[in-house]
Amino acid sequence: MTTLCIAFVIYSATVYTTGTAATSASPMSAEARHGQELFQDKNCIACHQFYGLGGYMGPDLTNVISKRGEAYSGAFIAAGTVSMPNFNLDTDEVSALVAYLAFVDQTGTYPPEEYKIEWNGNVSQVDDPR
Amino acid sequence: MSSANAHFGGLRFMRLGMLALAGGMLFGVIGGFQFLFPEFLQELLFTKTRPLHVSLVVSSIFLISIGGIYFYLPRQCNLPLFSSKSVDLHYWVFLLTGLAIIVCYLSGRFGGREYFEFPPILSLPIFLTWLLFGINYFNTARQDKEPWPVYYWMWGTGIVFFFITYAESHLYLIPYFRETMVREIMVQWKSYGALTGSWNMLVYGTGLYLATKISGCDKYARSKMAFGLYFLGLFNLMFGWAHHTYLVPSDPWIRTFAYLVSMTELYIFGKIIWDWRSSLTDWQKNRHCNAYRFLIAADIWIFVNLALALIISIPALNLFTHGTHITVAHAMGSTIGINMMILLASVFYVIREELPNEIHAKCSKQLRTGFWLSNVSLAIFFVALLLAGIGKGTYDGSSFQEMMLGIRPFLVTFTISGVTLMAGLWIILWHGFRLMGKIMAPVGVAEPQPA
Ligand code: HEM
Ligand code: HEM
C-alpha cells in the first residue's frame, strides 16, 4: 500500500511538470485569458469539446481557427445559429473568445490527421507537436 | 434524538439521493429533446440542462452510497457512529450546497468546467462535507477490532481519494496549470478519472457488502481474491485515467502506461465469465429478492460495459470512438447499469431488512415492471448511443449539421428509450422512497406524546 501511494505521488508530480510541459505553444496572452474566462462563464463546454472532451451538441473547437478562420468563428460566436445560442457579446468579448480559440489551436491537432497505428494497438501521431 | 438519527440519518441521505436521481433524469430527457429540437425550451438552454442532469445524477450516486454507509455501520455492523450530530450537519450542508448549485445553474452562473459547472467557491462546503464524513467514518470503523473486511477498505479509500481528486480538479485555478492548455486538460481528466474511480470504491464496496449479507457468508469479503481485486481497482484509479486523453498531446509514455493499466481490467472480465455458472445457481436461489435482482442486473451490465470499456481503451479504436456518443454510451451505461443498479439493490436491501413484510403483492408486481422496463430501455438506449457514435465516428469534419442529421434516427431512439428508462426508474424510486419513509415514520410516532 505504501509503495503504491509513493508511486502515485511521484507519478502525479511528473504529470504536473515534464509530462505536460508546453512544447511549441506560445504563452497565453491577456486577451486569450479573458477569452478563457468568458468561455467558462458562458459554459461553452456544455455543447463543445476541446480534444474531443466536453458535451456533444456542437462541434469540437480545438482547431476551428486554423480550419475555418478567425472571421468565420467570430461571426459564429457573435450571431449564433438555430442550434447555437446568441450570447449578445460585444465585439471585445468576441475577439477575446477568438483569441482564446487561437491559443488552443496552436497546442496540437485534433482529430489527428497524420498518424500510424502500431501492431500493439498504440497510435503514434506524426502531427503530435512533441 | 440522537439514537434515532444514528439509525435514520443514513436513510435521509438515501431518500434525498432518490429525489436527486428522479429530478436529474428529467433534465436528461429535456436535454435529449434539445438535441432533436434546438428550439425546445429556450429558457432552459442546454448549457443549463446538461449540468443539471449530470450534477444531480452524480450527486445521487454519492448520496445513496453515503446513506448506505451511515446506515449499515451502526445498524448492522454494531459500530455506533462516532458522531450522529455530524451526520445531520453533513446532510444539511450537502442539501443547502446542492440547492445553491441548482440556483446557480438555473440563473446561468457557471464555473464552466465539465461536470462541475458551478462557481468554484461552492466547492468549499463540499470539501467540508467530505471532511465530516471522513472523520466520522474512520473514527467509527476504527472501533472494529477485527481486521477489516474489504468493503471497509473500499469505503475508506473512496473517501480519501474523493478528497484528493476533488482538490486536484481545482488546480486549474492556479495560473501554472491553466495557462498551459495540455497541462490544464490533462490534470482535469487525471482528476476526473480518479474521481470516478473513487465513487466506484464507494459503490462497489456497497455491492460487496450486500452480496456478503445476502449470501450470509463473510468469508469472501476477507479473502485474498477480494483484496486482490481491491488493489487492482486502486491501481486503475491511480494510473488508468489517461485513457480519457489518448489524443491530447502529452508525453506519450503517460498514454501508453494508461493503456497497459486499463488492460489489467481484462482479468476482471475473464473472471466474470469464469464465475458465470455459480452466479446462475445463486440467481435461481434468490430471484425472489428485489435487492438480489438488482445485483444480478448490475452483474450483467458490468459484463457489457466492461467489454465496451476495454474496446475504447485501445488507442487505435479510441481514435474513432473518442468524442462520439460511444463515450456517452459507456458513461451512462456504467453509471446507470452498474452504479445505479447496485445502489437500488442497497435501497431494497434496507427495505427488506427493516420492513420484512411490507412489499405486498401489488407493489412487488410494480417493482418487477419497473425493473424490466428500465433494463430493457437501458439496453435500447445503450445501443442507440453506440450507433449514433459510429455515425459520428465516421464524420469527415465537413458539415456538422449534415452529420447530426444523419444520426438523427438514433438520437430519436435514444430520447424515446430515455423517456421509458426514466419511467421505469421512477416507478422503482417511488416505492423505494415511500417505503423508506415508512421505516423512518414509526420512530416519530413512538416518541412520548404529551397527553
Ligand atoms: C440513472 C439515470 C442516468 C444517469 C446516471 C445518467 C448519467 C449521465 C452522465 C454521467 C452523463 C455525462 C456523459 C458524458 O460526459 O459523456 C450524461 C449525459 C447525458 N444524459 Fe444521462 N444519465 C441518466 C439518464 C438519462 C436519461 C433518462 C436521459 C434521457 C434521454 C439522459 C440524457 C442525457 C444527455 C442528453 C446527456 C448529454 C450528452 C452530451 O452532450 O454529452 N440521461 N448522463
Ligand atoms: C463503473 C465503472 C465506470 C464508470 C462509472 C465510468 C464512467 C465514465 C465516464 C462518465 C466517462 C465519460 C468521460 C467523458 O465525458 O469523456 C468515461 C470515459 C471512459 N472510460 Fe469509463 N467508467 C467506468 C469504467 C471504465 C473501465 C473499467 C474502463 C477501462 C478499462 C473505462 C474506460 C474509459 C475510457 C477509455 C473512456 C474515455 C472515452 C473517450 O473519451 O474517448 N471506464 N467513463
Coordinates of all heavy atoms in Angstrom, one line a residue, chain A residues 46 54-57, chain B residues 21 25 28-29 31-32 35 46 50 53-54 57-58 61 114-115 325 327-328 331-332 335-336 340 381 414-415 418-419 421-422 425, ligand 1:
Chain A
A46 N -20.4 22.9 -22.4 CA -21.6 22.0 -22.3 C -22.0 21.5 -23.7 O -22.5 20.4 -23.9 CB -22.8 22.8 -21.7
G54 N -15.9 17.1 -23.8 CA -16.9 18.1 -23.5 C -18.3 17.5 -23.8 O -18.5 16.3 -23.9
G55 N -19.2 18.4 -24.0 CA -20.6 18.0 -24.4 C -20.6 17.8 -25.9 O -19.8 18.2 -26.7
Y56 N -21.7 17.1 -26.4 CA -21.7 16.6 -27.8 C -22.7 17.3 -28.7 O -23.0 16.9 -29.8 CB -21.9 15.1 -27.8 CG -20.8 14.4 -27.0 CD1 -20.9 14.1 -25.7 CD2 -19.6 14.1 -27.7 CE1 -19.9 13.5 -25.0 CE2 -18.6 13.5 -27.0 CZ -18.7 13.2 -25.7 OH -17.7 12.6 -25.0
M57 N -23.3 18.4 -28.2 CA -24.3 19.0 -29.1 C -23.7 19.8 -30.2 O -24.2 19.8 -31.3 CB -25.2 19.9 -28.3 CG -26.4 20.4 -29.1 SD -27.5 21.4 -28.1 CE -28.6 20.1 -27.4
Chain B
L21 N -32.0 11.8 -8.1 CA -31.9 10.9 -9.3 C -33.2 11.2 -10.2 O -33.1 11.3 -11.4 CB -31.8 9.5 -8.9 CG -31.8 8.5 -10.1 CD1 -30.7 8.7 -11.1 CD2 -31.7 7.1 -9.6
M25 N -32.9 12.9 -13.9 CA -33.2 12.2 -15.2 C -34.1 13.1 -16.0 O -34.0 13.1 -17.2 CB -33.9 10.9 -14.9 CG -33.0 9.8 -14.5 SD -33.8 8.2 -14.4 CE -34.8 8.3 -13.0
G28 N -32.1 15.2 -18.0 CA -31.5 14.4 -19.1 C -32.5 14.3 -20.3 O -32.1 14.4 -21.5
V29 N -33.7 14.0 -20.0 CA -34.8 13.8 -21.0 C -34.9 15.2 -21.8 O -35.0 15.2 -23.0 CB -36.1 13.3 -20.4 CG1 -37.2 13.5 -21.4 CG2 -35.9 11.9 -20.0
G31 N -32.7 17.5 -22.1 CA -31.5 17.6 -22.9 C -31.6 16.7 -24.2 O -31.2 17.2 -25.3
G32 N -32.2 15.5 -24.0 CA -32.4 14.7 -25.2 C -33.3 15.3 -26.2 O -33.0 15.3 -27.5
F35 N -31.4 18.0 -28.1 CA -30.6 17.5 -29.2 C -31.4 17.5 -30.5 O -31.0 17.8 -31.6 CB -30.1 16.1 -28.9 CG -28.7 16.1 -28.4 CD1 -28.4 16.1 -27.1 CD2 -27.7 15.9 -29.4 CE1 -27.1 16.1 -26.7 CE2 -26.4 15.9 -29.0 CZ -26.1 15.9 -27.6
F46 N -29.3 24.2 -23.2 CA -28.6 23.0 -22.9 C -27.4 23.3 -22.0 O -27.0 22.4 -21.2 CB -28.0 22.5 -24.2 CG -27.5 21.0 -24.2 CD1 -28.4 20.0 -23.8 CD2 -26.2 20.8 -24.4 CE1 -27.9 18.7 -23.7 CE2 -25.7 19.5 -24.3 CZ -26.5 18.4 -24.0
R50 N -27.7 20.3 -19.2 CA -26.6 19.3 -19.1 C -26.0 19.2 -17.7 O -26.0 18.2 -17.1 CB -25.5 19.5 -20.2 CG -24.6 18.3 -20.3 CD -23.5 18.5 -21.3 NE -22.9 17.3 -21.7 CZ -21.8 16.8 -21.1 NH1 -21.3 17.4 -20.1 NH2 -21.3 15.7 -21.5
H53 N -28.5 17.9 -15.2 CA -28.6 16.5 -15.3 C -27.4 15.8 -14.7 O -27.6 14.9 -13.8 CB -28.7 16.1 -16.8 CG -28.7 14.6 -17.1 ND1 -29.6 13.7 -16.6 CD2 -27.8 13.9 -17.9 CE1 -29.3 12.5 -17.0 NE2 -28.2 12.6 -17.8
V54 N -26.2 16.1 -15.1 CA -25.1 15.4 -14.7 C -24.8 15.6 -13.2 O -24.6 14.6 -12.5 CB -23.8 15.7 -15.6 CG1 -22.6 15.0 -15.1 CG2 -24.1 15.4 -17.0
V57 N -27.5 13.6 -11.1 CA -27.4 12.1 -11.1 C -26.1 11.7 -10.4 O -26.1 10.7 -9.7 CB -27.5 11.5 -12.5 CG1 -28.9 11.7 -13.1 CG2 -26.5 11.9 -13.4
V58 N -25.0 12.5 -10.6 CA -23.8 12.1 -9.9 C -24.0 12.3 -8.4 O -23.5 11.5 -7.6 CB -22.6 12.9 -10.5 CG1 -21.4 12.7 -9.6 CG2 -22.3 12.4 -11.9
I61 N -25.6 9.4 -6.9 CA -24.7 8.2 -6.7 C -24.0 8.4 -5.3 O -24.0 7.5 -4.5 CB -23.6 8.1 -7.8 CG1 -24.3 7.8 -9.1 CG2 -22.6 7.1 -7.4 CD1 -23.4 7.7 -10.3
E114 N -16.3 21.1 -17.2 CA -17.2 20.0 -17.4 C -17.5 19.2 -16.1 O -16.6 19.0 -15.3 CB -16.7 19.1 -18.5 CG -17.8 18.2 -19.0 CD -17.3 17.1 -20.0 OE1 -16.1 17.1 -20.3 OE2 -18.2 16.3 -20.5
Y115 N -18.7 18.8 -15.9 CA -19.2 18.0 -14.8 C -19.4 18.9 -13.5 O -20.4 18.7 -12.8 CB -18.3 16.8 -14.4 CG -18.2 15.8 -15.5 CD1 -17.1 15.1 -15.7 CD2 -19.3 15.6 -16.3 CE1 -17.0 14.1 -16.7 CE2 -19.3 14.7 -17.3 CZ -18.1 13.9 -17.5 OH -18.0 13.0 -18.5
H325 N -20.8 9.6 -29.4 CA -21.7 9.2 -28.4 C -21.4 7.8 -27.9 O -22.1 7.3 -26.9 CB -23.1 9.2 -29.0 CG -23.6 10.5 -29.3 ND1 -23.3 11.2 -30.5 CD2 -24.3 11.4 -28.6 CE1 -23.8 12.4 -30.5 NE2 -24.4 12.6 -29.3
T327 N -18.7 7.2 -26.3 CA -18.3 7.6 -24.9 C -19.5 7.8 -24.0 O -19.5 7.4 -22.8 CB -17.5 8.9 -24.9 OG1 -16.4 8.7 -25.9 CG2 -16.9 9.2 -23.6
V328 N -20.6 8.5 -24.6 CA -21.8 8.7 -23.7 C -22.4 7.4 -23.4 O -22.9 7.2 -22.3 CB -22.7 9.6 -24.5 CG1 -23.9 10.0 -23.5 CG2 -22.1 10.9 -25.0
A331 N -20.5 6.0 -20.7 CA -20.6 6.8 -19.4 C -22.0 6.5 -18.8 O -22.1 6.2 -17.6 CB -20.5 8.3 -19.7
M332 N -23.1 6.6 -19.6 CA -24.4 6.4 -18.9 C -24.6 4.9 -18.7 O -25.2 4.5 -17.8 CB -25.5 7.0 -19.8 CG -25.5 8.5 -19.6 SD -27.1 9.2 -20.0 CE -26.8 9.8 -21.6
T335 N -22.8 4.3 -15.4 CA -23.4 4.9 -14.2 C -24.8 4.3 -13.9 O -25.1 4.1 -12.8 CB -23.5 6.5 -14.4 OG1 -24.0 6.8 -15.7 CG2 -22.2 7.1 -14.2
I336 N -25.6 4.1 -15.0 CA -26.9 3.6 -14.7 C -26.9 2.1 -14.5 O -27.3 1.6 -13.5 CB -27.9 3.8 -15.9 CG1 -27.9 5.3 -16.3 CG2 -29.3 3.4 -15.6 CD1 -28.7 5.7 -17.5
M340 N -26.1 2.6 -10.5 CA -27.5 2.7 -10.1 C -28.1 1.4 -9.7 O -28.8 1.3 -8.7 CB -28.3 3.4 -11.1 CG -28.2 4.9 -11.1 SD -28.5 5.5 -9.4 CE -27.6 7.0 -9.5
F381 N -31.4 2.2 -25.2 CA -30.7 3.5 -25.0 C -29.2 3.3 -25.3 O -28.6 4.1 -26.1 CB -30.9 3.7 -23.5 CG -30.5 5.1 -23.0 CD1 -31.3 6.2 -23.1 CD2 -29.4 5.2 -22.2 CE1 -31.0 7.4 -22.5 CE2 -29.0 6.4 -21.6 CZ -29.9 7.5 -21.7
F414 N -32.8 7.1 -29.0 CA -32.1 7.4 -27.7 C -33.1 8.1 -26.7 O -33.3 7.7 -25.6 CB -30.8 8.2 -27.9 CG -30.3 9.0 -26.8 CD1 -29.8 8.3 -25.6 CD2 -30.4 10.4 -26.8 CE1 -29.3 9.1 -24.6 CE2 -29.9 11.1 -25.7 CZ -29.4 10.5 -24.6
T415 N -33.7 9.2 -27.3 CA -34.5 10.0 -26.4 C -35.8 9.3 -26.0 O -36.2 9.3 -24.8 CB -34.9 11.3 -27.2 OG1 -33.7 11.9 -27.6 CG2 -35.7 12.3 -26.3
G418 N -35.0 6.9 -23.5 CA -34.7 7.6 -22.3 C -35.9 7.9 -21.5 O -35.9 7.9 -20.3
V419 N -37.0 8.2 -22.2 CA -38.3 8.5 -21.5 C -38.8 7.3 -20.8 O -39.1 7.3 -19.6 CB -39.3 9.0 -22.5 CG1 -40.7 9.2 -21.8 CG2 -38.9 10.4 -23.1
L421 N -37.0 4.7 -19.9 CA -36.0 4.4 -18.9 C -36.3 5.2 -17.6 O -36.4 4.7 -16.5 CB -34.6 4.7 -19.3 CG -33.4 4.7 -18.3 CD1 -33.3 3.3 -17.7 CD2 -32.1 5.1 -19.0
M422 N -36.6 6.4 -17.8 CA -36.9 7.3 -16.7 C -38.2 6.8 -16.0 O -38.3 6.7 -14.8 CB -37.1 8.7 -17.2 CG -37.5 9.7 -16.1 SD -37.5 11.4 -16.7 CE -38.9 11.5 -17.7
L425 N -37.5 3.8 -13.9 CA -36.8 4.1 -12.7 C -37.7 4.9 -11.7 O -37.6 4.7 -10.5 CB -35.5 4.8 -13.0 CG -34.4 3.9 -13.6 CD1 -33.2 4.8 -14.0 CD2 -33.9 2.9 -12.7
Ligands
HEM1 C1 -29.9 6.9 -13.9 C2 -30.0 7.7 -14.9 C3 -28.9 8.5 -15.6 C4 -27.6 8.6 -15.3 C5 -26.9 8.1 -14.0 C6 -27.0 9.5 -16.3 C7 -25.7 9.9 -16.3 C8 -25.1 10.7 -17.3 C9 -23.7 11.1 -17.3 C10 -22.7 10.7 -16.4 C11 -23.6 12.0 -18.4 C12 -22.3 12.6 -18.9 C13 -21.8 11.8 -20.1 C14 -20.5 12.3 -20.7 O1 -20.0 13.3 -20.4 O2 -20.1 11.5 -21.6 C15 -24.9 12.1 -19.0 C16 -25.1 12.9 -20.1 C17 -26.4 12.9 -20.8 N1 -27.5 12.2 -20.4 FE1 -27.8 11.0 -18.9 N2 -28.0 9.7 -17.2 C18 -29.2 9.2 -16.8 C19 -30.4 9.2 -17.5 C20 -30.6 9.8 -18.7 C21 -31.9 9.8 -19.4 C22 -33.1 9.1 -19.0 C23 -31.7 10.6 -20.5 C24 -32.8 10.9 -21.5 C25 -32.6 10.9 -22.7 C26 -30.3 11.2 -20.5 C27 -29.8 12.0 -21.4 C28 -28.5 12.6 -21.4 C29 -28.0 13.6 -22.3 C30 -28.8 14.2 -23.4 C31 -26.7 13.8 -21.9 C32 -25.7 14.8 -22.6 C33 -24.9 14.2 -23.7 C34 -23.8 15.1 -24.1 O3 -24.0 16.0 -24.9 O4 -22.7 14.9 -23.6 N3 -29.7 10.6 -19.4 N4 -25.8 11.3 -18.3

